Amino acid sequence: LGVGRMKVMDTLRSLDAFPKHGEEFRVRTTHGAMASVVAIVAMLYLFVSEFYYYSRVEVVDRLVVNSSHADTLKVRFDIKFHHIPCDLLSLDAMDTSGQRQEELVHNVFKRKLDAEGNKADRPERHRELGTLQHEHQLSDPGEKPACGNCYGARDDPDACCNTCEEVRIAYEDKGWAFHPDEIEQCQPAKVLSSIDPETEEGCNIFGNVELTKLSGNFHFAPGEHLQAAARSGQMSFSDLMSLTYKSFNISHDIRTLAFGNHFPGIQNPLDRQSRSVSDGSGMYQYYVKVVPTTYKFLNRRRKDLVSNQYSVTEHLRHVTPGSGRGLPGVWFFYEVSPVQATFEETRQGTLEFIASVCAILGGVFTIIGLADRVVGVAFEKLRGDELLR
């Protein structure tokens, strides 16, 4: 039994691909020590580099056909108009046919700015959307209503409140809180004070609005409530038009403009951009190409982010009273691309990392060993030549 075991062990030893040498057959040299140090340093450096690459998250992008079925497009904005009073400025949105986008979901605020562009007041909710885009809207407001609305403050349904003061008295009689900003009869005086050329006031308008998904525009222009000033008879239509152009300087700063939620690495081309118009009046037009984007995280427990990127070109159209080219404003025309971008976080697999580390360590060991062997042979040859002499 012992002899058979010895034969098995001998056969097993014959398969050893890593034969060992006795200590008396090993020769330690200076160049061998230097090669060992170089090998250790190289292995450590390459291992750390490979580990950094393994732990790093890379983002891979690709383009696919847009198959999303979202009905709305959420736009976030924060824009400063340094020369337009808030009472003149309004927001509206239209579809590709030029019709107003009805029942817009919006959360928009306006804040007054002083002459230096600093915040001069608390932000106020901008509830009523609607703008004027053409001169005839400003000069032809329609017939003045024969009986002003009392907004339910009079018991008599046929009662008329044709002035702001009459509405205020009716509210006081009812014990209701009076908010002139929401009363049409109170708008003329407010508008006229806003377009006073001596007034140095700007406006910061910010918030978000949900638009139709396919294409259309949203814009900042003179509000529809300007027609109330024309109806009041306190100013001629020509004077009102002239002052509107003079007071509506469209120079603006875009602090942020985004179509959707923020995701890692996104860069919106219009963020922190300023546009100045020398003569003030004009129609600044931005043409925006929106690309639906999905961002997938490495951690699959995190929900994918659905957002949008965009590219933009711009054009300035100068407008003057009587030119028939429209009223001053800042317009954003958008179109959704049929292509969708997908960004996905990836990382090197563990098995791939182990294989790479083994290849690095084995390769460095082999190359340094070969170099040490060559140097050793060269030294031996040099010593042999010296002995022959």
Side-chain angles (χ1 to χ4, degrees):
L1 182 62
V3 175
R5 182 181 297 175
M6 292 290 292
K7 288 183 177 180
V8 171
M9 295 301 294
D10 290 340
T11 302
L12 187 60
R13 290 190 188 97
S14 67
L15 299 177
D16 185 5
F18 305 98
K20 311 301 184 293
H21 301 286
E23 188 67 30
E24 63 273 15
F25 298 107
R26 296 183 180 179
V27 179
R28 302 184 183 277
T29 62
T30 302
H31 59 79
M34 296 176 62
S36 299
V37 172
V38 171
I40 293 173
V41 172
M43 288 180 183
L44 286 174
Y45 174 77
L46 293 175
F47 174 79
V48 170
S49 299
E50 187 65 22
F51 182 78
Y52 170 76
Y53 177 73
Y54 165 71
S55 60
R56 185 181 61 181
V57 175
E58 291 188 335
V59 179
V60 179
D61 61 275
R62 64 178 185 272
L63 296 177
V64 297
V65 176
N66 181 16
S67 58
S68 62
H69 301 287
D71 295 326
T72 59
L73 182 67
K74 185 176 182 180
V75 181
R76 296 183 293 110
F77 57 86
D78 187 349
I79 304 177
K80 285 185 174 182
F81 294 89
H82 293 282
H83 307 290
I84 302 177
C86 283
D87 292 331
L88 284 185
L89 187 65
S90 188
L91 165 68
D92 206 353
M94 305 173 72
D95 58 24
T96 51
S97 64
Q99 299 298 315
R100 183 177 180 181
Q101 297 186 25
E102 299 294 342
E103 299 181 358
L104 285 177
V105 178
H106 65 279
N107 188 29
V108 180
F109 295 86
K110 294 194 293 187
R111 190 203 312 266
K112 293 182 179 180
L113 304 176
D114 60 22
E116 286 73 34
N118 301 317
K119 301 173 183 178
D121 204 347
R122 297 178 61 184
E124 295 182 359
R125 183 75 178 268
H126 183 49
R127 302 181 184 277
E128 297 297 328
L129 304 184
T131 60
L132 304 175
Q133 297 101 45
H134 307 287
E135 290 183 25
H136 69 82
Q137 293 176 289
L138 189 60
S139 61
D140 186 18
E143 295 182 1
K144 184 176 180 179
C147 181
N149 193 348
C150 292
Y151 305 94
R154 293 297 188 195
D155 295 330
D156 183 1
D158 296 327
C160 297
C161 298
N162 293 323
T163 66
C164 182
E165 182 65 16
E166 291 177 353
V167 177
R168 187 187 65 79
I169 294 174
Y171 269 57
E172 287 182 353
D173 292 343
K174 278 286 189 179
W176 294 354
F178 181 68
H179 301 288
D181 290 345
E182 301 174 2
I183 305 301
E184 181 182 3
Q185 290 90 325
C186 299
Q187 297 308 308
K190 185 177 179 181
V191 171
L192 293 175
S193 65
S194 298
I195 59 178
D196 183 354
E198 301 299 326
T199 301
E200 291 290 339
E201 181 184 310
C203 188
N204 176 205
I205 184 167
F206 59 94
N208 59 76
V209 62
E210 294 186 8
L211 308 172
T212 57
K213 178 70 174 179
L214 296 178
S215 59
N217 74 75
F218 64 99
H219 55 271
F220 304 91
E224 283 184 335
H225 58 274
L226 288 177
Q227 289 184 340
R231 291 195 191 104
S232 69
Q234 300 182 40
M235 180 179 292
S236 68
F237 297 142
S238 59
D239 289 342
L240 180 59
M241 182 182 297
S242 177
L243 283 176
T244 301
Y245 276 92
K246 186 175 182 180
S247 299
F248 217 86
N249 185 324
I250 63 168
S251 298
H252 57 280
D253 296 339
I254 302 177
R255 301 177 65 183
T256 184
L257 180 70
F259 290 79
N261 300 315
H262 176 82
F263 62 86
I266 187 173
Q267 293 183 345
N268 298 313
L270 287 179
D271 284 359
R272 298 178 296 279
Q273 296 294 312
S274 297
R275 299 294 183 268
S276 179
V277 181
S278 57
D279 60 357
S281 298
M283 185 181 292
Y284 214 103
Q285 300 169 326
Y286 294 94
Y287 297 90
V288 181
K289 190 73 170 182
V290 180
V291 180
T293 303
T294 301
Y295 191 93
K296 298 182 177 182
F297 293 96
L298 184 65
N299 184 355
R300 296 307 179 191
R301 288 179 293 182
R302 297 185 63 180
K303 188 177 180 181
D304 295 345
L305 278 178
V306 179
S307 186
N308 300 279
Q309 302 178 90
Y310 66 91
S311 59
V312 62
T313 57
E314 53 194 86
H315 172 71
L316 172 62
R317 178 200 291 183
H318 291 279
V319 294
T320 56
S323 65
R325 306 186 69 186
L327 299 178
V330 177
W331 292 65
F332 296 87
F333 298 88
Y334 66 91
E335 180 181 6
V336 179
S337 171
V339 176
Q340 178 178 345
T342 300
F343 293 88
E344 185 173 2
E345 293 181 349
T346 61
R347 190 169 63 187
Q348 186 184 38
T350 303
L351 293 179
E352 186 179 353
F353 168 70
I354 294 174
S356 298
V357 169
C358 292
I360 288 172
L361 299 182
V364 171
F365 185 83
T366 301
I367 296 299
I368 296 297
L370 180 61
D372 177 60
R373 187 72 177 270
V374 171
V375 172
V377 171
F379 279 166
E380 290 179 1
K381 183 173 178 60
L382 289 174
R383 280 199 298 268
D385 292 343
E386 289 177 357
L387 290 175
L388 291 176
R389 293 175 186 176

